[in-house]
Amino acid sequence: MHCPFCRHTDSRVVDSRTADDGTVIRRRRQCPSCSRRFSTIESASLSVVKRSGVGEPFSRSKVISGVRKACQGRPVTDDQLAVLAQKVEESIRLTGVSEIEAHDVGLAILQPLKDLDLVAYLRFASVYRNFDSLEDFEKAIAELREQSDA
């Protein structure tokens, strides 16, 4: 790590602390050359690969905006959507991969959305599970009814 003051090529870590629910590490550093201190923030990168092959950083706000469309007209709050996006990011990070396909992000949204609102789940699932006919909707509804009965 270069010192931002004297541009020395090395620095010493004085203190490390976690922040943002453990997803970010804040490090306090000291330059051995000029003895000035500075902070760095480190986070593990998570990249989403789109259908075109282009990668971009994972964004909770994109998850929220995509799910918000499925939740239109449903009793779902912005706070609930933020929690859902956090759960999705945590589940993706638990897989241990640093790059994930955009379609797989959509699939990772399904279970938390099912727990949140069944109608929004059906709307979203119709896109990500490629529902082609009314029978696909009927089958999904039958599965949901079986699960709620159990």
Side-chain angles (χ1 to χ4, degrees):
M1 182 81 216
H2 290 279
C3 173
F5 305 108
C6 71
R7 303 297 298 156
H8 189 266
T9 58
D10 198 16
S11 64
R12 181 174 70 86
V13 175
V14 177
D15 183 40
S16 293
R17 296 176 189 227
T18 60
D20 288 346
D21 301 327
T23 60
V24 174
I25 297 175
R26 181 181 175 270
R27 297 198 193 278
R28 194 76 181 131
R29 296 177 176 271
Q30 184 173 12
C31 175
S33 178
C34 69
S35 298
R36 294 182 75 179
R37 290 186 175 198
F38 58 97
S39 294
T40 59
I41 296 176
E42 300 175 16
S43 65
S45 64
L46 182 59
S47 181
V48 177
V49 179
K50 298 179 133 190
R51 276 184 254 165
S52 65
V54 176
E56 66 179 39
F58 176 84
S59 169
R60 287 185 187 181
S61 61
K62 280 195 158 192
V63 170
I64 291 170
S65 68
V67 173
R68 182 173 279 130
K69 292 171 190 166
C71 294
Q72 197 168 8
R74 302 297 305 155
V76 177
T77 66
D78 287 341
D79 289 340
Q80 290 172 312
L81 290 177
V83 169
L84 180 137
Q86 180 180 350
K87 287 179 183 177
V88 169
E89 182 176 0
E90 288 171 357
S91 71
I92 291 170
R93 288 192 184 278
L94 284 174
T95 63
V97 297
S98 61
E99 285 189 350
I100 188 165
E101 299 286 328
H103 183 75
D104 294 335
V105 173
L107 294 176
I109 291 170
L110 289 175
Q111 187 58 48
L113 186 56
K114 183 193 277 186
D115 297 338
L116 182 62
D117 187 274
L118 292 177
V119 173
Y121 164 79
L122 277 174
R123 291 174 178 171
F124 198 84
S126 69
V127 173
Y128 279 92
R129 290 176 56 199
N130 296 321
F131 287 10
D132 291 327
S133 64
L134 290 176
E135 288 78 24
D136 293 335
F137 278 97
E138 290 171 346
K139 182 180 174 188
I141 291 169
E143 289 173 6
L144 290 173
R145 285 190 175 133
E146 286 175 20
Q147 291 172 1
S148 67
D149 291 342

